[in-house]
Amino acid sequence: MTIISNADNRNPEQTLAEFPGGSLPLGSPFYIERPPVEQLVGQEICKPGSVIRIKAPKQMGKSSLLLRLLHQAKQFNCRTVRLDFRQIDNNIFSSLDWFLRWFCANLSRQLELTPLIEEYWDEEIGSKVSCTIYLQGYLLEQIDTPIVLVLNEINLLFEHPQIAREFMGLLRSWYEEARQQESFQKLRLVLVHSTEVYINFNINQSPFNVGLPVCLREFTLEETIHLAGAYGLDWTDESEAKKLMAVVGGQPYLIGMALYHLVTSSVSLDEILEKAHDIAGIYSSYLRERLVLLQEHPELATALKKVVRAEGGVKLDPLLAYKLEQMGLVKLEGDSITLSCNLYRKFCTVYDFGARSLPDTIKKLKSEIHTLKQVGKLDETTNFLKGSQLEFSLKNLLAELDSQSSSLSFILCEIDFFNFYTKRKQQSLSEKTLRKIAGAIRKSVFGVEHLVARYSWAQFAIVLPGLGEKSALQVAKKIHLEVKKLAIPYNLEDIGGLHSLVITVSLGLTSLNPNPETSFEGLIEVASEALHQAKIEGRNRTKSISMFEV
């Protein structure tokens, strides 16, 4: 494939300008290749058992590239099947078994084969093995030619983490089988997804990292001039192209939208660029999507504001920087992060996308906890959030409260002498005691907004959004009283300094108004110091240290 040059031999009156968005048909003069992408995917699709992963933010040209890839596959006598995850009914995601049955049934119909799901499905060996046998023993046996299977918008699957992990693992196993088994070499996979998915997906558990990754880059100056030529504009002196790219960078959709309006309306390039950041302007839908994402994830909004305020590059938490990059908002150059283009700088200065009311924050927090419960992220003994999940949830909450100038209190609660207790009691009795203590904490925070995690074996972290020190101390007092009511006997000897015959707790409390400099690590450090002081002074008490005192 070669770049389609349009300015040399096209009469502008013979080609109507196409509105940007969606896939560009084969032969469209508005499709601009970005070497070496087309050549790489063309070579890879010919390899037995190959996998191609096309990933980019929305409106970067994934659909147009895919259309050309499928066309080339047909030229090599491949059967093509395209499963679009936007067409799946939500109830299909209720179980892995239902999803894999949907997958096999649709694959059969597109290959014009009679679905024989029940004949191959066996509950005793499980749905993944049944699906594999169905694919290998039936579908691949019936088709003589290679099959190119496209899974489009597979990012929608990542909204269902358990199914995503199982299905991605299954695809990986087929890829590995193709190294050895000839039947699986007929299958060539193409996975297409928008990288905005990484905002919600745990990127520490890579969804799929085998095969050829294809990341669509932005347009170069030369490619922008080629596209302008396709619209009938003579930009060979580069000045207009540079002016446009100074605002929108090389983002294909943004460039195409400006060119389309230039040739279909009476506005000038200067007028378009002057109103580019306007939410009601030509980029309204594009900017609105990002506005919604930033409002839903204020930790990203806070990080983006930091980039906007900086005169040069800044350093961010690597995870936040990665997610902003996957949204197409920033560029990473080593450790330095800069805005992708000036459009976002103007946009960020006009719209307070990080604002969220405290009730909305609490509602979102409860929703996240409910989701974690559904996917098994809660501690089995106490039914509280696992300590490993606390950092992610608390970082998000700190960012949201910062945008509202709202307060937060944080308590570390430790069961006094619990290590001695567990050494002399049976494991089952220790867990029963933990459940009782968890119940006492649950009673104490009832009626106030909270997030509780089992931070370690005998420690609980209690987050109280919207509460200052005075109110948080009242919650701490209730925790002491509820634990004391349990009257769980220690029955321990030889513990110097023990002033109670029943189990007690020590609490370290800190309160603050989060700001961009507030860190999860700093919060834990101050609360731990307060807890340490409570233990030194005799335990069974609460000590409070303000974040402003350290």
Side-chain angles (χ1 to χ4, degrees):
M1 297 183 181
T2 57
I3 291 179
I4 302 172
S5 178
N6 310 285
D8 299 332
N9 53 17
R10 185 184 64 84
N11 184 336
E13 295 180 358
Q14 294 175 341
T15 302
L16 294 176
E18 291 184 24
F19 187 82
S23 59
L24 293 169
L26 297 174
S28 170
F30 302 102
Y31 181 78
I32 305 296
E33 290 191 359
R34 284 169 271 183
V37 167
E38 285 80 6
Q39 182 180 3
L40 286 175
V41 297
Q43 293 173 346
E44 193 70 17
I45 204 64
C46 299
K47 297 178 182 178
S50 61
V51 172
I52 299 173
R53 294 179 286 129
I54 302 174
K55 56 180 184 176
K58 292 180 180 179
Q59 297 172 313
M60 282 289 290
K62 298 186 296 294
S63 297
S64 297
L65 174 62
L66 177 61
L67 190 62
R68 283 147 181 82
L69 175 60
L70 291 177
H71 175 71
Q72 185 159 347
K74 291 176 182 177
Q75 305 306 305
F76 286 96
N77 197 34
C78 295
R79 292 283 298 272
T80 61
V81 177
R82 181 171 176 171
L83 298 183
D84 195 322
F85 281 53
R86 291 172 296 186
Q87 297 176 353
I88 305 181
D89 294 341
N90 197 53
N91 65 314
I92 299 296
F93 291 116
S94 60
S95 74
L96 178 65
D97 187 71
W98 276 33
F99 173 77
L100 292 180
R101 285 171 177 266
W102 171 91
F103 175 80
C104 289
N106 278 272
L107 196 53
S108 303
R109 290 192 170 91
Q110 290 206 33
L111 290 172
E112 300 178 338
L113 295 173
T114 303
L116 301 176
I117 310 298
E118 296 305 327
E119 296 184 22
Y120 284 83
W121 229 254
D122 187 338
E123 292 183 1
E124 292 184 359
I125 62 175
S127 55
K128 287 196 293 185
V129 175
S130 296
C131 180
T132 301
I133 294 174
Y134 185 84
L135 175 66
Q136 183 181 19
Y138 177 46
L139 298 181
L140 295 179
E141 283 294 321
Q142 297 295 316
I143 305 298
D144 296 329
T145 60
I147 299 173
V148 175
L149 172 57
V150 175
L151 302 180
N152 193 37
E153 295 293 343
I154 199 171
N155 44 282
L156 296 176
L157 182 64
F158 300 155
E159 297 176 9
H160 308 272
Q162 284 184 312
I163 294 179
R165 282 192 295 271
E166 298 281 2
F167 185 61
M168 288 304 184
L170 184 60
L171 295 182
R172 174 189 284 273
S173 73
W174 296 346
Y175 173 79
E176 293 170 350
E177 288 287 347
R179 308 279 79 80
Q180 306 175 36
Q181 298 193 34
E182 186 176 345
S183 58
F184 274 106
Q185 291 177 7
K186 292 182 184 178
L187 185 65
R188 291 95 193 269
L189 289 172
V190 180
L191 280 60
V192 185
H193 64 86
S194 300
T195 51
E196 285 89 350
V197 64
Y198 290 131
I199 296 173
N200 296 307
F201 196 73
N202 183 0
I203 65 168
N204 294 318
Q205 299 173 349
S206 177
F208 202 70
N209 54 12
V210 296
L212 174 69
V214 178
C215 301
L216 292 180
R217 59 169 175 78
E218 294 188 339
F219 282 168
T220 63
L221 177 62
E222 180 185 0
E223 290 160 355
T224 299
I225 293 172
H226 268 93
L227 185 57
Y231 279 95
L233 299 170
D234 182 8
W235 280 12
T236 52
D237 69 348
E238 299 185 356
S239 60
E240 295 291 272
K242 288 180 178 179
K243 184 187 297 183
L244 174 59
M245 295 182 73
V247 175
V248 303
Q251 212 285 347
Y253 172 78
L254 299 181
I255 290 173
M257 184 64 74
L259 296 175
Y260 174 83
H261 283 276
L262 272 175
V263 301
T264 59
S265 63
S266 59
V267 295
S268 66
L269 180 60
D270 288 336
E271 290 173 315
I272 288 176
L273 298 182
E274 183 181 354
K275 299 180 180 179
H277 64 282
D278 194 330
I279 200 67
I282 68 170
Y283 299 132
S284 59
S285 61
Y286 179 88
L287 293 174
R288 194 174 291 115
E289 284 186 5
R290 278 136 191 85
L291 178 62
V292 170
L293 280 173
L294 291 167
Q295 286 177 332
E296 290 177 348
H297 299 273
E299 76 283 4
L300 295 179
T302 300
L304 183 60
K305 286 179 179 178
K306 184 180 292 187
V307 180
V308 171
R309 289 195 294 263
E311 294 183 2
V314 297
K315 292 185 178 181
L316 294 176
D317 176 271
L319 181 59
L320 295 178
Y322 179 78
K323 290 183 175 183
L324 288 174
E325 182 193 33
Q326 297 306 301
M327 289 177 67
L329 296 175
V330 302
K331 293 181 179 179
L332 306 184
E333 298 177 0
D335 293 334
S336 183
I337 296 100
T338 57
L339 281 177
S340 293
C341 61
N342 282 323
L343 173 65
Y344 303 130
R345 188 180 305 279
K346 293 182 179 179
F347 178 60
C348 294
T349 56
V350 173
Y351 299 100
D352 187 13
F353 44 67
R356 184 194 293 271
S357 67
L358 184 59
D360 285 342
T361 297
I362 300 303
K363 182 178 179 180
K364 180 175 182 288
L365 181 64
K366 290 179 176 178
S367 175
E368 289 175 350
I369 294 173
H370 179 69
T371 300
L372 290 169
K373 185 175 182 180
Q374 285 183 320
V375 299
K377 294 293 185 180
L378 298 189
D379 177 65
E380 293 179 1
T381 301
T382 63
N383 209 33
F384 286 150
L385 196 66
K386 289 181 180 179
S388 58
Q389 295 293 319
L390 176 64
E391 179 175 359
F392 178 75
S393 297
L394 188 51
K395 280 185 175 180
N396 288 351
L397 186 58
L398 287 170
E400 295 198 22
L401 295 177
D402 169 33
S403 67
Q404 305 161 16
S405 299
S406 186
S407 57
L408 175 138
S409 291
F410 181 80
I411 299 173
L412 269 183
C413 171
E414 182 176 304
I415 306 174
D416 292 327
F417 300 111
F418 199 62
N419 285 336
F420 291 97
Y421 180 84
T422 55
K423 287 178 181 177
R424 303 191 186 188
K425 300 291 180 181
Q426 295 179 354
Q427 179 72 17
S428 59
L429 185 58
S430 296
E431 291 189 355
K432 185 177 180 180
T433 298
L434 278 168
R435 283 192 287 271
K436 287 183 177 181
I437 299 294
I441 293 174
R442 197 171 281 110
K443 282 185 180 180
S444 302
V445 297
F446 181 79
V448 299
E449 304 301 347
H450 62 272
L451 169 65
V452 183
R454 185 179 175 186
Y455 187 61
S456 65
W457 169 241
Q459 283 187 349
F460 299 90
I462 304 159
V463 184
L464 303 169
L467 291 191
E469 182 182 30
K470 185 176 180 180
S471 298
L473 284 170
Q474 292 300 314
V475 173
K477 184 177 180 180
K478 287 189 66 176
I479 292 174
H480 284 295
L481 291 174
E482 291 296 335
V483 171
K484 186 176 181 180
K485 284 181 185 179
L486 296 174
I488 304 172
Y490 272 115
N491 293 331
L492 300 177
E493 301 174 357
D494 304 325
I495 299 180
L498 179 61
H499 302 299
S500 175
L501 298 178
V502 297
I503 279 185
T504 58
V505 293
S506 298
L507 280 71
L509 165 68
T510 186
S511 301
L512 71 156
N513 289 321
N515 60 61
E517 304 305 319
T518 304
S519 68
F520 169 81
E521 294 76 13
L523 198 61
I524 293 292
E525 182 180 352
V526 176
S528 297
E529 176 59 28
L531 175 61
H532 178 65
Q533 290 188 17
K535 291 159 70 174
I536 289 177
E537 294 182 15
R539 304 184 186 249
N540 189 24
R541 69 195 64 215
T542 297
K543 290 297 293 183
S544 177
I545 299 178
S546 170
M547 286 287 284
F548 300 109
E549 295 176 15
V550 295

